[in-house]
Structure formats: C-alpha cells, structure tokens
Amino acid sequence: MALQTLGASPAAPVSLSDAKAWLRIGHAGEDSLVETLITSATARVEAETGRALIIRQLRETLDGWLVRRLSGCGSAFAVGLSPLVSVEEIRTFDRQHEAIIWDAEEYRVDVNADPGRIIARAPFAFPRPGRLAAGIEIDFTAGYGETADAVPPALIEAILRLVAEGYAGAERAERAMRGPARLPEDVDALLRPFRQVRL
C-alpha cells in the first residue's frame, strides 16, 4: 500500500508563529528547526490516526483489495485516509498494464462513515486487477478542511506537544528527522479518540 499526495502539499495545520509561541521562542534563529519539527509532528499525528488534517487530493496504490479493510460481507472497502470527502476515480490494471476505470455507477461512496468507504452496488463486486503488483489506484480527497480552524483542537495540541518534545531533545537534528520513537503519554491520550477502528 502506498499513499501519494497529488498536486501541491497543503499548508501545515500549525503555523511557525503558533509553534514558536508554544515553545516561547522570541527569535528567528531556530525557525528552520521548528518548521522541520512541525512537518515531522504533523506526519506522525496523521500516521497514528489515519487522518489527513488539511484537505488534499491523494492516490492510494494497492496490490489488491486488502481483506482487513473489507467489510464482513465483502461489499464495502475502507479508504486509506480519513475523513473522506470524495472519490474521484478508481482504476485497476490488467496484465498488459492498461488502466481500466471502474464505472462510478457500480459503486457508491460513504463519506459519513469513519473511515470513509467505497461500497459496491449490487449485483456488482470489486473489480479484480490483472496486474499482481500495484494493480489498483484510488484517487480521492480527504481532510477536515482547508485551514487549521477546521482541524480538531486536540490534534493541533498533539502536534504542538510533539514539536515541544522534539525541541527539548538533546539530539535535536535526529529528532527533527524521525520524531520521538515512542509517543509521550499526554500525546497518546490526545490521539486515542481519533484512531481508526477498521471494519
């Protein structure tokens, strides 16, 4: 499974000025470090929760329809990142690597579920790819909104706390690249209600 952002990356849900205020930094000498920490913390929060914070277009590439993300009856498939806004196109690839667009009349999109789902309309089923690797592509849009105001405050706070954790570390450069190996308990508590419960 691979997730790729299409087009320009969205703005960070936490601004440099907000992060510096949280850290009580009054100078510009460490702006680059703080920006790197914001990027790292945002990626960590999104990975931990399975959620896109700022709305963006994505492409998920799969070898096949993952069983763990299919409903019990096999008619619904959970999309890789929430909250789901829309599904633009679903493609499978045959053995000659030719793309076949799945007819949108044969499925519907449930954006109200968490995670959002693609549901095959009866009597149709999820199309099987002929290509063994990267045989499915799903283009979709996910995110809470276009600005940080739409993101739940608990997730913003989690990012700020991770930024502070990285900034306080003795090995700042290393932490800026990988973030804390284990989530601090206060951050884990903030993220817990937002973690995905799969079908």
Side-chain angles (χ1 to χ4, degrees):
M1 181 195 79
L3 276 171
Q4 171 191 358
T5 295
L6 303 178
S9 297
V14 171
S15 68
L16 175 62
S17 60
D18 286 345
K20 288 174 67 175
W22 181 274
L23 297 170
R24 298 181 180 179
I25 298 174
H27 56 84
E30 295 182 296
D31 283 7
S32 179
L33 170 62
V34 175
E35 287 176 337
T36 302
L37 288 168
I38 291 170
T39 300
S40 176
T42 300
R44 183 73 183 270
V45 167
E46 290 193 338
E48 290 283 342
T49 61
R51 297 176 185 275
L53 303 187
I54 302 297
I55 198 167
R56 63 184 186 268
Q57 291 186 322
L58 299 120
R59 175 171 297 158
E60 183 171 25
T61 303
L62 303 162
D63 295 337
W65 301 102
L66 302 174
V67 173
R68 68 178 182 275
R69 285 163 55 182
L70 283 167
S71 62
C73 62
S75 64
F77 182 79
V79 176
L81 212 58
S82 290
L84 180 63
V85 175
S86 61
V87 172
E88 280 64 60
E89 191 171 272
I90 302 171
R91 294 176 296 278
T92 58
F93 292 84
D94 62 22
R95 293 185 179 182
Q96 287 72 44
H97 310 293
E98 294 292 330
I100 303 167
I101 298 174
W102 190 11
D103 188 344
E105 295 298 318
E106 297 182 4
Y107 65 88
R108 66 182 179 89
V109 178
D110 182 3
V111 299
N112 296 314
D114 189 10
R117 304 182 299 169
I118 299 163
I119 302 172
R121 296 182 185 273
F124 304 105
F126 288 94
R128 293 184 179 180
R131 190 165 73 184
L132 296 179
I136 301 168
E137 289 182 349
I138 305 170
D139 289 353
F140 66 101
T141 301
Y144 285 102
E146 295 183 354
T147 65
D149 292 340
V151 180
L155 298 180
I156 298 294
E157 183 178 344
I159 292 172
L160 290 168
R161 289 183 179 275
L162 282 174
V163 168
E165 176 79 7
Y167 184 77
E171 299 174 330
R172 290 184 182 179
E174 183 180 353
R175 283 179 176 271
M177 293 302 296
R178 63 176 174 83
R182 185 173 183 178
L183 283 176
E185 291 184 6
D186 56 346
V187 174
D188 187 64
L190 288 166
L191 299 184
R192 196 171 300 129
F194 297 93
R195 288 196 171 97
Q196 297 288 0
V197 177
R198 291 295 181 187
L199 295 169

